[in-house]
Amino acid sequence: MLATRIELDGRRATGVSYRRPDGQTATAQARREIILCCGALNSPKLLELSGIGGGAVLREIGIAPAVELPGVGENLRDHYAVRMTAKVRNVATINEKTRGWRLMKEAALWALGRPSILALSPSLVHVFWKSDEALDRPDLQITFTPASYPRGHRRTA
Ligand SMILES: Cc1cc2nc3c(=O)[nH]c(=O)nc-3n(C[C@H](O)[C@H](O)[C@H](O)COP(=O)(O)OP(=O)(O)OC[C@H]3O[C@@H](n4cnc5c(N)ncnc54)[C@H](O)[C@@H]3O)c2cc1C
């Protein structure tokens, strides 16, 4: 079902309108709260479709502003990732443990509730780091994965 609009009573969100599979529109009333979790792009889109956002932006696309919130839909940033890979010797990485009989062994360990790489997140170490001590929050992230991936796609101009 596709949420199409957050219903408001003044500045208070009271329900969500949505399109049913048969094409009809229905509204669900919230008893306590609405959790908006449509993802990084669709969450601000649904807010804006509901009249919640920057007044000038909304007016430009023909939506009457109901709640002025200029931050909605702004500051989306892509993160640039540099991937560095190193060859290792005499160490079993996730690459080896997820091939052939070793994968069967890991699956069996997992099924028995024993420690297994199937229960691990690929990135096991995360570092949040400031590029400048004067910053009030980290702006760099380092992750360590005991595995390697195929080379990423190259973008051609
Ligand atoms: C390629 C890729 C790799 C990633 N790898 C990792 C990783 O290794 N580790 C990590 O922690 N994070 C990773 N992430 C990030 C992670 O996937 C997101 O941070 C996370 O999924 C965000 O969860 P969410 O519930 O906020 O939104 P989403 O997972 O985007 O879920 C939003 C949901 O809302 C639905 N929806 C959208 N609009 C509407 C609507 N109008 N009505 C009804 N439903 C709607 C969508 O269909 C979707 O199901 C990765 C992301 C990508 C794209």
Side-chain angles (χ1 to χ4, degrees):
M1 292 198 243
L2 185 77
T4 52
R5 188 180 168 82
I6 297 166
E7 300 300 337
L8 297 168
D9 179 8
R11 291 176 61 86
R12 188 179 167 81
T14 55
V16 176
S17 290
Y18 59 95
R19 198 168 311 134
R20 297 194 320 210
D22 62 8
Q24 299 292 311
T25 299
T27 301
Q29 294 297 330
R31 261 183 250 147
R32 184 174 295 179
E33 62 183 341
I34 295 168
I35 297 173
L36 176 57
C37 54
C38 288
L41 298 178
N42 275 339
S43 290
K45 179 182 169 189
L46 191 62
L47 287 171
E48 288 181 332
L49 288 174
S50 312
I52 304 166
V57 175
L58 295 179
R59 275 187 286 273
E60 202 179 308
I61 52 174
I63 295 174
V67 178
E68 182 88 25
L69 268 186
V72 172
E74 303 298 322
N75 304 319
L76 182 70
R77 293 193 194 167
D78 208 354
H79 59 283
Y80 180 62
V82 182
R83 195 189 294 165
M84 288 182 278
T85 311
K87 278 191 178 171
V88 290
R89 272 195 221 115
N90 305 323
V91 179
T93 69
I94 290 180
N95 296 72
E96 287 82 42
K97 290 193 169 193
T98 49
R99 286 196 195 116
W101 66 268
R102 289 191 177 89
L103 177 60
M104 299 297 164
K105 182 182 160 196
E106 294 298 325
L109 288 171
W110 182 80
L112 293 169
R114 305 284 302 279
S116 154
I117 60 161
L118 298 194
L120 291 181
S121 150
S123 295
L124 297 179
V125 180
H126 294 255
V127 179
F128 293 91
W129 194 21
K130 292 180 187 174
S131 61
D132 181 340
E133 274 184 30
L135 293 173
D136 65 345
R137 66 184 70 183
D139 60 344
L140 295 170
Q141 182 183 1
I142 300 170
T143 60
F144 170 72
T145 302
S148 58
Y149 300 95
R151 282 177 68 166
H153 293 290
R154 275 176 181 264
R155 187 179 288 180
T156 48

